[in-house]
Amino acid sequence: MISKVLSSAVFGIDAYLVEVEVDIASGFPQFSTVGLPEGAVRESKERVKAAIKNCGYNFPLKRITVNLAPADRRKEGTI
């Protein structure tokens, strides 16, 4: 695991913690999000790529896995 940050999500009117863990490994270039992401969360990879490039960094051409924990709760909306 390269990095881990704490975020939050909403379930009804309650909020809960979401751990966002990122791993970059060698292999075929791929960006995947795991941990029960809904469609909008899965599609956020384009926003992530744009943010990295706009910060002046090169997007790594490696296998990138983003884990959203806890995995038993569905994540909706944008992150």
Side-chain angles (χ1 to χ4, degrees), residues 10-21:
V10 178
F11 182 72
I13 60 169
D14 296 320
Y16 63 95
L17 285 177
V18 174
E19 291 182 1
V20 180
E21 302 169 334

Side-chain angles (χ1 to χ4, degrees), residues 9-11 16 18 31-47 66-79:
V10 178
F11 182 72
Y16 63 95
V18 174
F31 188 104
S32 59
T33 305
V34 297
L36 286 180
E38 284 288 331
V41 176
R42 267 180 272 155
E43 294 167 1
S44 66
K45 65 183 175 183
E46 296 305 321
R47 293 191 300 273
V66 178
N67 180 43
L68 305 174
D72 61 339
R73 290 198 177 182
R74 197 160 291 285
K75 284 68 168 193
E76 299 176 354
T78 58
I79 57 173

